[in-house]
C-alpha cells in the first residue's frame, strides 16, 4: 500500500467535491442549464482576474491561451519583447517565431527576475516593440517577475501591451489586472484552479481589444473576438469542455467563499513555510531574490542525482515533486504549493524530502525542515 | 479551504479506488455476477482471518456480529466470562444480559491488558463458564489483550469457547484463528478493512459450530447456521449490502496483494512511530505495557481540556482524532493508525498534535514528535 501526494506545479490535486461535481451526468452544452453554469463561471472568473473585462473560457491548456494572445493581438512582422528567464519565457519567443513575429529576446539568468530597468532600456532602444511578453511566475525557475513594475512602463503607452502568462500566478498571488493595467492575462485549469488540465482562461484589457481589431495574424480555433461575442450569450464558439467548466464553476465558488485575499495569503504562508523548511535543511533556494509563491525550487546537495531523488520521492515515498529542466536537469527539485494545498501538504513534502535525502546518504536532521515550516504554518491557527 | 484527515478508530479513510468500485452501477444481489463477487470476498476473507472455516459477511456493524456470536453460540442461563477492560469489554457483558446469560465480570484496570492467569483463576473457580469474551484490541483504552495466551487456556477444553471481538484487531496484527484456536472472531468493515461502516464479518471454529447446534437462544436476522448454508451458494440469507461487498472484494484483493504479513508489519511500524512521536513530546501512553497496533492513546498534559484539544484538532486543523470516554473523557486523545493509513498520515497526525498543543499554550518543541516518528517510519524505505 502506498498513498500518493501530488505536489508538482500542475496538474495539482483536484478536490473530491470538484471531482464529484464533474462526475455528474453529462449535459448538453447548448442548453439553458449549461449556459447558466458557463455564465456563472465566466462571471466569477472576473473576480479571480480582478477585472471588469470578459474572461474567456477555452477548451485548451495554457499554451493555447498564450498562442491566442499572440495570434489575436499582434500581426506578422511585429516586434515583441520576450522576457526569457526560463522554459516558459522561451515559449513566448517560440510562439512569436511560429507566427512570423520578431521576438526581441531579453535573456535573464535562470533564478533571477527580470529587471524592469532593462525592459525599459530595450523598449527605449527599439520603440517599435508592440508587446512585452512575460510570466507572472516562471514555473521552471520558481521566480516571480515584477509584473506591477512592468505594468507601470507599459501602461504609459497606447501602442504597447503587457501580456502576462499567469498560468502559475493567477489565484496564487495578487495580479490585479485592471488596477495595474495588465493587457492580457492567461491561466490554466490545472494549477491554482484545482482542476484537471484542459481549460485556459484569458482576459484582455480595453487596450488589448483595440489591438485585436488591428491584428492580421491567422487564427481560427483561438478567435478571441468571436469568443467574446459568444460569451454575451453565455456560451463559447466551439464545444466547451463541459465537465471542466462545471468543475470551474465549483472551484470559483470556493475561491469567492474563501476570499481572494485569503487565497493569496494562504499561498504566501505555504510558500514561506516551504522556503523556511528547505533553508533549515541547508538547501539553497534557486530563486532567493524573487521567489514565486506558487512553487519553491531548491538545489539538490552536491553528490546527489536530483533526477534519482525525484524518482525515489515519487516511487518509494509516493510524493510527486518536480525536478529541473535543461541546465538544471538533475540539479534542483521543485515543490509546488498552489491550488488545493494546505498546511499538512507542506508538512508531508518537508518530511518526505528529509527522509529521501537521508535515504540518499545526505546528513539530515529529521524533523528540522518540518519544524521550521510548522513555525510559519502556525500563523493560520 | 481546509483539508481534512481522518485518524479516528473508525470509520477510517476509504481509498479512492474502493470508493470508485462501490460507485459502479447497482447490481441485483441474486445474480451470477454478484454471487461471484460475494464468493470471492468470502474466500479472501478466510485469508484475512487465517482460517479454513467459513467467514460470514453480514449487513450490520460489528456490534451485530458480536450479538450474533452470543445468540448463536450460547443459551439463556449460560455463564460467560467477560473481560471488562473498557467500553467494548463492557459491551460483551451487556449483550449477555440482554439475552439472559450470566456475565461473570473480570474487571481490568483501564489501560491494562487482562492477565491470562486471572482468567484461568476465574475459570477454575467457576468451571461451568462456557465462554471467554474478549477484545483483541480494546479500542477505548488502546490496549491489546493477550489472545494467544488466552487461546492456550480455552483450547484445552471442549466445553469452553474463546470469543474474540477483533473489530480493531483483524487485519492489524496477527490473530491466526486456526493456529491459535480462536473459536469465534468478529470484525467490522470500517476499521482495518478500509470501508464505510455497514458490514460485519464473523468466523467460527468447528468447536463453535458445535456450540451453535446446542444454542437455544432466540435469533433471526443473525442466524449463523442459515448464513453458512447460504454461503455454500455464494449468497446470504437476507439482502446483502451490495456496494459494501463490492468494496470488500476490492479491499481484500489489495490485502492479498500487499500480503497479510506486510499489512501487519505496516501497522506495527506506524504504531511504533506514533508511540515514539508521542513520547518524544513528553506525552504519557495510556497503555504503555500492552499497546495495540491499531491506535495509540496518550494522556493530555495537565491543564489542557482534552475535549477542547480534540475539537480544535478537528475544526481548526482538520485532523480528526478521538478523545476519551467515561473515566477518560477529556483526559486522553487517541490517534488511530489502522486501515488505509501510511507513513505521512502519522507525520500529519504528529505535526498537527504538536501545533494544537502549542496553540493551547503547552510548551512543545515543534518537529520533535515528527522527527521521532520519522526515525521509525524510515524503516520502510
Amino acid at each position: 500500500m502506498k498513498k500518493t501526494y501530488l505536489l508538482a506545479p500542475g496538474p495539482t490535486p483536484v478536490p473530491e467535491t470538484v471531482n464529484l461535481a464533474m462526475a455528474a451526468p453529462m449535459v448538453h452544452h447548448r442548453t439553458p442549464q449549461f449556459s447558466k453554469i458557463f455564465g456563472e463561471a465566466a462571471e466569477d472568473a472576473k473576480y479571480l482576474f480582478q477585472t471588469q473585462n470578459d474572461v474567456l473560457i477555452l477548451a485548451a491548456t495554457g499554451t493555447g491561451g498564450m498562442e491566442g494572445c499572440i495570434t489575436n493581438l499582434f500581426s506578422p512582422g511585429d516586434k515583441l519583447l520576450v522576457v526569457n528567464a526560463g522554459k516558459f519565457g522561451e515559449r513566448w519567443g517560440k510562439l512569436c517565431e511560429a507566427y512570423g513575429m520578431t521576438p526581441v529576446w531579453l535573456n535573464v539568468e535562470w533564478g533571477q527576475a527580470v529587471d524592469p530597468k532593462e525592459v525599459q532600456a530595450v523598449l527605449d532602444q527599439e520603440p517599435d516593440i508592440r508587446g512585452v511578453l512575460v510570466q507572472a511566475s516562471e514555473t521552471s525557475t520558481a521566480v516571480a517577475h515584477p509584473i506591477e513594475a512592468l505594468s507601470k512602463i507599459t501602461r504609459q503607452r497606447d501602442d504597447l501591451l503587457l501580456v502576462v502568462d499567469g498560468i502559475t500566478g493567477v489565484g496564487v498571488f495578487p495580479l490585479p489586472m485592471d488596477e495595474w493595467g495588465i493587457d492580457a492575462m492567461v491561466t490554466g485549469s490545472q494549477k491554482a484552479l484545482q482542476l484537471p488540465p484542459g481549460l485556459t482562461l484569458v482576459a484582455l484589457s480595453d487596450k488589448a481589444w483595440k489591438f485585436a481589431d488591428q491584428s492580421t495574424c491567422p487564427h481560427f480555433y483561438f478567435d478571441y473576438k468571436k469568443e467574446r461575442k459568444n460569451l454575451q450569450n453565455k456560451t463559447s464558439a466551439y464545444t466547451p469542455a463541459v465537465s471542466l467548466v462545471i468543475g470551474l464553476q465549483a472551484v470559483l465558488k470556493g475561491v469567492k467563499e474563501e476570499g481572494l485575499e485569503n487565497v493569496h495569503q494562504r499561498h504566501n504562508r505555504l510558500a514561506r513555510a516551504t522556503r523556511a523548511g528547505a533553508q533549515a535543511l541547508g538547501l539553497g533556494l534557486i530563486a532567493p531574490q524573487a521567489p514565486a509563491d506558487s512553487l519553491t525550487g531548491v538545489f539538490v546537495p552536491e553528490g546527489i542525482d536530483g533526477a534519482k531523488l525525484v524518482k525515489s520521492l515519487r516511487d518509494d515515498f509516493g510524493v510527486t515533486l518536480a525536478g529541473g529542466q535543461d541546465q538544471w536537469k538533475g540539479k534542483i527539485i521543485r515543490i509546488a504549493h498552489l491550488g488545493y494545498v494546505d498546511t499538512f501538504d507542506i508538512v508531508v513534502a518537508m518530511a518526505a524530502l528529509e527522509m529521501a535525502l537521508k535515504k540518499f546518504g545526505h546528513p539530515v536532521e529529521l524533523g528540522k525542515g518540518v519544524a521550521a515550516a510548522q513555525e510559519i504554518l502556525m500563523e493560520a491557527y
Side-chain angles (χ1 to χ4, degrees), chain A:
Chain A
M1 201 195 79
K2 182 156 51 210
K3 290 196 176 183
T4 57
Y5 301 84
L6 185 56
L7 290 160
T12 60
V14 179
E16 300 83 334
T17 49
V18 175
N19 269 327
L20 286 174
M22 292 192 295
M26 183 55 56
V27 294
H28 194 269
H29 56 295
R30 307 295 185 202
T31 57
Q33 288 74 22
F34 184 72
S35 288
K36 184 171 179 292
I37 293 168
F38 194 88
E40 282 178 16
E43 197 57 36
D44 287 347
K46 293 183 183 178
Y47 172 74
L48 177 74
F49 275 66
Q50 297 179 265
T51 183
Q52 297 299 319
N53 277 301
D54 291 320
V55 180
L56 311 178
I57 302 170
L58 308 169
T61 57
T63 304
M66 291 167 74
E67 169 165 330
C69 287
I70 297 297
T71 60
N72 281 267
L73 302 180
F74 304 108
S75 302
D78 277 357
K79 264 192 199 166
L80 299 169
L81 190 158
V82 172
V83 174
N84 178 22
K87 289 292 282 181
F88 294 96
E90 189 185 13
R91 187 165 296 178
W92 275 131
K94 287 182 177 174
L95 273 164
C96 294
E97 289 169 345
Y99 285 96
M101 287 112 192
T102 306
V104 179
W105 296 94
L106 174 45
N107 295 319
V108 178
E109 194 187 340
W110 278 36
Q112 300 294 321
V114 70
D115 182 346
K117 288 198 207 85
E118 288 195 37
V119 171
Q120 184 67 64
V122 174
L123 292 172
D124 289 345
Q125 218 167 353
E126 311 219 30
D128 54 342
I129 284 175
R130 302 197 70 220
V132 174
L133 314 179
V134 66
Q135 274 62 39
S137 155
E138 168 57 64
T139 314
S140 64
T141 65
V143 156
H145 286 303
I147 301 302
E148 186 177 14
L150 296 179
S151 73
K152 284 182 181 161
I153 298 170
T154 55
R155 74 184 179 207
Q156 305 302 324
R157 284 171 48 186
D158 290 334
D159 58 346
L160 178 68
L161 296 182
L162 177 61
V163 181
V164 174
D165 160 4
I167 293 172
T168 55
V170 174
V172 177
F173 49 83
L175 290 165
M177 200 173 169
D178 290 358
E179 186 191 328
W180 288 358
I182 296 168
D183 294 305
M185 192 155 71
V186 181
T187 194
S189 52
Q190 79 276 27
K191 310 289 184 178
L193 285 175
Q194 314 170 22
L195 292 168
L199 284 187
T200 184
L201 280 69
V202 184
L204 303 183
S205 69
D206 291 336
K207 184 164 65 161
W209 282 115
K210 283 180 196 149
F211 269 61
D213 284 332
Q214 308 302 323
S215 166
T216 62
C217 187
H219 54 251
F220 187 86
Y221 184 68
F222 298 116
D223 186 334
Y224 288 180
K225 282 161 70 179
K226 193 170 178 182
E227 291 295 349
R228 180 168 61 159
K229 204 174 150 196
N230 274 275
L231 190 54
Q232 306 310 315
N233 300 320
K234 299 181 181 175
T235 187
S236 54
Y238 310 112
T239 309
V242 171
S243 299
L244 291 172
V245 173
I246 290 170
L248 178 65
Q249 184 213 24
V251 168
L252 290 175
K253 207 177 151 192
V255 168
K256 282 185 87 170
E257 277 169 14
E258 187 175 352
L260 193 57
E261 200 176 328
N262 293 328
V263 169
H264 292 155
Q265 277 180 7
R266 169 166 55 84
H267 282 96
N268 178 257
R269 186 174 60 246
L270 301 180
R272 284 184 292 114
T274 307
R275 297 195 282 262
Q279 288 181 299
L281 294 176
L283 303 173
L285 300 177
I286 64 171
Q289 276 104 38
D293 283 352
S294 42
L295 77 167
T296 297
V298 296
F299 289 107
V300 169
E302 281 292 322
I304 292 180
D305 180 335
K308 284 186 183 156
L309 185 68
V310 167
K311 189 175 183 299
S312 174
L313 275 159
R314 185 190 64 217
D315 297 344
D316 299 327
F317 293 88
V319 177
T320 298
L321 307 177
Q325 297 164 293
D326 290 359
Q327 58 185 273
W328 278 349
K329 202 172 162 66
K331 294 186 179 160
I332 66 164
I333 54 170
R334 292 173 298 151
I335 304 162
H337 29 69
L338 77 168
Y340 185 55
V341 176
D342 205 355
T343 298
F344 296 105
D345 294 301
I346 304 306
V347 167
V348 168
M350 211 47 64
L353 181 56
E354 291 172 357
M355 291 164 77
L357 284 170
K358 182 158 185 169
K359 180 179 159 74
F360 275 68
H362 185 66
V364 61
E365 189 184 320
L366 292 177
K368 200 173 175 185
V370 172
Q374 277 175 304
E375 289 287 354
I376 289 167
L377 296 167
M378 277 297 293
E379 292 171 11
Y381 304 99

